[in-house]
C-alpha cells in the first residue's frame, strides 16, 4: 500500500496513530513467527510544524508537557532518526514534533511510554511525509524505518524485525495476525466486540528495563538447531523431538522455555484455523489468553503478582479470562475479556481497586489517520 499517493500538501503535519496490543503469540518472534495484534482506540496524536534549525521533539500527556526524562528520551529519538538511512533529502532538522498521549496512559512509566511503537511510527511517517509530494512512500517503507528507529532506541539494541507486528498495526488498524514479514490475516471476526478492558500495573516492574528476557530461549534454540534437531515440526512431532533430544544439551529451564514457546505456537495456529471457518468460541479464546499468561509468567518472568487479585475479581464479576501482556514500550498490563458484561466488570473492578485505572479498549479499524 502506498501511503502518500493521496496526500495533499501538509497532511503529514497533523495525524494520529493507534497504540497496538498483543492478544496472542507474544514472544513468538523468537521462533520466526508473528502474533495476533489489535489496534486500539487509544491513539497518539501527532502535530508537526516548522521549528528552528534543530529537530525538536516534545511529549505531553493530558495536555501537560513532560519534563527532564522526556527531554532525555527526545534526544535518544533524535539520535535514532539521524542513524536511520531515510531516502535522500529527507530530514527533520527544522521540525518541531509534538506527540500527545491519552490521559488514561498517564500512569505508565516514562521509559515505557516514550519508547512505544506508536512513537517510532509517528517519526517515520513524519520524516517520509515531508517529501511525500516528490517521493511517495509505502507502508512497507514506513514499517521498516519505524522498526529501525525503535531498535535503536530500545535498551540493548533489540532486533528491529521483532517490532514488525506492532508497527504494522499502528499503520493499518483492525485486528490481524501479522506474520514475520508483515503479511496480515484479518482476525477481527474471531474477537468479541466491545469486550476488552485494559488494566495497567499500578507500579512498574521492580526490574523494568523496557524489554523482554529472550536470551534463554535464543541460546537454547541455537544449541538444539545446531545439532540438526527440528523441534519446529508441526503437531506433536516437534514436542517429541524436543523431549527426545534436549536432555543431552539443555538444562531444565531452557527446555521449559522452549516448551512454552512451542505451546504458544500451537495455540496461535489453532486460533488461526478458525479464520474463514467456524467461529471461535469466546470461552476458547479466554482459555488461550489464560494459558499464554501462565507461560509468560512461568517462563518469561512476567511480573504477574500485580494482577493476581485483579484477575480473580474480574472472573468473579463475570469476565471470561485475562491476557497478561507487555504494553506500549514494555509496561506490564492486562487485557480483561468480558463480552456482554464489560461495563459491569469495569465498575466492580474500579470500586475494588481504586489505585488502578480500568479503561474500555475497543478495536480501532483505522490505523494511520490524517486529521
Amino acid at each position: 500500500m502506498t501511503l502518500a499517493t493521496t496526500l495533499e500538501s501538509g497532511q503529514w503535519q497533523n495525524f494520529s496513530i493507534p497504540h497496538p496490543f498483543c492478544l496472542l503469540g507474544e514472544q513468538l518472534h523468537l521462533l520466526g513467527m508473528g502474533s495476533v495484534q489489535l489496534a486500539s482506540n487509544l491513539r497518539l496524536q501527532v502535530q508537526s510544524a516548522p521549528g528552528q534549525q534543530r529537530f525538536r521533539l516534545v511529549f505531553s500527556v493530558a495536555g501537560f508537557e513532560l519534563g527532564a526524562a522526556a527531554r532525555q528520551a527526545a534526544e535518544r529519538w533524535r539520535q535514532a532518526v539521524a542513524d536511520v538511512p531515510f531516502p535522500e533529502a529527507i530530514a527533520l532538522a527544522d521540525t518541531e514534533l509534538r506527540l500527545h498521549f491519552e490521559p488514561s496512559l498517564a500512569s505508565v512509566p516514562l521509559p515505557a511510554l516514550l519508547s512505544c511503537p506508536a512513537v517510532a511510527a509517528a517519526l517515520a511517517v513524519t520524516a517520509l511525509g515531508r517529501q511525500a509530494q516528490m517521493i511517495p512512500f509505502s507502508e512497507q517503507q514506513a514499517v521498516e524505518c519505524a522498526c529501525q528507529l525503535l531498535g535503536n532506541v530500545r535498551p540493548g539494541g533489540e532486533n528491529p524485525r521483532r517490532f514488525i507486528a506492532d508497527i504494522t498495526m499502528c499503520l493499518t488498524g483492525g485486528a490481524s495476525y501479522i506474520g514475520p514479514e508483515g503479511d496480515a490475516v484479518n482476525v477481527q471476526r474471531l474477537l468479541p466486540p466491545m469486550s476488552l478492558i485494559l488494566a495497567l500495573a499500578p507500579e512498574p516492574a521492580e526490574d523494568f528495563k523496557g524489554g523482554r528476557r529472550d536470551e534463554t530461549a535464543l541460546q537454547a534454540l541455537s544449541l538444539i538447531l545446531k545439532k540438526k534437531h527440528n523441534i519446529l515440526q508441526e503437531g506433536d512431532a516437534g514436542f517429541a523431538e524436543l523431549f527426545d533430544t534436549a536432555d543431552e544439551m539443555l538444562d531444565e529451564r531452557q527446555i521449559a522455555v522452549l516448551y512454552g514457546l512451542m505451546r504458544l505456537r500451537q495455540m496461535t495456529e489453532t486460533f488461526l484455523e478458525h479464520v474463514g471457518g467456524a467461529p471461535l468460541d469466546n470461552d476458547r479464546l479466554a482459555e488461550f489468553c489464560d494459558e499464554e499468561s501462565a507461560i509468560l509468567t512461568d517462563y518469561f518472568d512476567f511480573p504477574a503478582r500485580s494482577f493476581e487479585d485483579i484477575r480473580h475479581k474480574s472472573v468473579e464479576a463475570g469476565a471470561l479470562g485475562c491476557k497478561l501482556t507487555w504494553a506500549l514500550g514494555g509496561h506490564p498490563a492486562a487485557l480483561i475479556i468480558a463480552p456482554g458484561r464489560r461495563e459491569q466488570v469495569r465498575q466492580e473492578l474500579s470500586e475494588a481497586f481504586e489505585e488502578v485505572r480500568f479503561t474500555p479498549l475497543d478495536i480501532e479499524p483505522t490505523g494511520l489517520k490524517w486529521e
Side-chain angles (χ1 to χ4, degrees), residues 10 47 99 102 105 109 133 152-153 170 178 191 200 211 216 231 246 256-257 265 312 314 329:
Q47 293 177 313
L99 305 183
E102 298 259 1
L105 302 180
Q133 303 310 303
N152 290 345
V153 164
C170 289
I178 306 296
L191 307 180
L200 296 165
T216 299
I231 65 170
V257 169
R265 184 185 75 162
H312 291 314
S314 67

Side-chain angles (χ1 to χ4, degrees), residues 13-347:
Q13 294 176 332
N14 194 3
F15 60 92
S16 67
I17 288 175
H19 290 288
F21 291 86
C22 180
L23 190 63
L24 199 61
E26 210 145 355
Q27 304 294 135
L28 281 183
H29 62 279
L30 298 172
L31 296 183
M33 282 189 65
S35 56
V36 176
Q37 299 271 342
L38 63 90
S40 73
N41 58 328
L42 299 178
R43 300 185 70 93
L44 177 69
Q45 301 292 327
V46 184
Q47 293 177 313
S48 178
Q52 304 301 319
Q53 293 182 349
R54 188 180 181 188
F55 170 48
R56 183 167 183 253
L57 182 60
V58 180
F59 296 102
S60 68
V61 177
F64 294 96
E65 188 172 319
L66 301 177
R71 290 192 290 273
Q72 293 173 4
E75 179 59 25
R76 291 195 299 273
W77 281 110
R78 189 194 67 77
Q79 185 58 53
V81 169
D83 292 341
V84 170
F86 285 108
E88 186 177 356
I90 291 181
L92 294 173
D94 61 346
T95 301
E96 179 176 283
L97 193 64
R98 291 183 171 269
L99 305 183
H100 307 282
F101 292 94
E102 298 259 1
S104 59
L105 302 180
S107 65
V108 178
L110 291 184
L113 188 64
L114 303 183
S115 63
C116 69
V119 173
L123 286 169
V125 168
T126 301
L128 294 169
R130 286 175 62 88
Q131 297 294 318
Q133 303 310 303
M134 294 179 289
I135 312 172
F137 65 97
S138 67
E139 176 190 313
Q140 182 179 358
Q141 283 179 288
V143 169
E144 290 175 355
C145 288
C147 286
Q148 290 183 59
L149 287 170
L150 198 51
N152 290 345
V153 164
R154 289 289 186 87
E158 294 185 71
N159 181 0
R161 298 199 65 78
R162 66 164 297 172
F163 305 119
I164 285 177
D166 300 294
I167 299 296
T168 299
M169 293 311 298
C170 289
L171 300 178
T172 62
S176 298
Y177 169 79
I178 306 296
E181 300 302 322
D183 47 308
V185 177
N186 191 324
V187 301
Q188 187 158 344
R189 78 174 193 88
L190 301 181
L191 307 180
M194 296 186 295
S195 64
L196 297 176
I197 304 168
L198 173 66
L200 296 165
E203 69 279 332
E206 294 178 2
D207 55 353
F208 173 74
K209 297 179 182 178
R212 306 171 179 88
R213 299 179 185 85
D214 299 342
E215 293 84 0
T216 299
L218 289 173
Q219 291 171 0
L221 191 61
S222 175
L223 284 171
I224 206 165
L225 293 180
K226 276 183 180 178
K227 297 293 185 179
K228 309 298 183 183
H229 297 305
N230 184 13
I231 65 170
L232 303 183
Q233 302 173 68
E234 294 184 359
D236 294 334
F239 290 98
E241 185 77 8
L242 173 66
F243 293 115
D244 286 346
T245 62
D247 286 340
E248 305 169 6
M249 62 196 77
L250 304 180
D251 61 33
E252 186 175 333
R253 177 166 178 77
Q254 289 174 321
I255 295 172
V257 169
L258 285 183
Y259 172 81
L261 282 174
M262 293 166 66
R263 181 65 188 130
L264 287 180
R265 184 185 75 162
Q266 190 177 57
M267 286 190 294
T268 304
E269 290 174 342
T270 300
F271 175 87
L272 293 175
E273 289 173 0
H274 291 269
V275 174
L280 180 68
D281 185 84
N282 290 340
D283 289 325
R284 186 67 168 143
L285 173 63
E287 289 173 5
F288 286 159
C289 291
D290 284 335
E291 184 173 351
E292 176 157 327
S293 297
I295 290 171
L296 291 176
T297 301
D298 294 340
Y299 306 139
F300 292 94
D301 302 318
F302 188 96
R305 184 173 55 185
S306 299
F307 297 98
E308 287 180 1
D309 292 340
I310 291 173
R311 294 175 75 185
H312 291 314
K313 182 64 178 178
S314 67
V315 173
E316 289 178 2
L320 293 182
C322 179
K323 166 64 170 65
L324 299 178
T325 183
W326 296 101
L328 302 157
H331 186 55
L335 295 175
I336 299 162
I337 306 171
R341 290 188 55 82
R342 180 168 69 176
E343 186 54 29
Q344 297 94 313
V345 172
R346 190 192 68 79
Q347 288 182 358

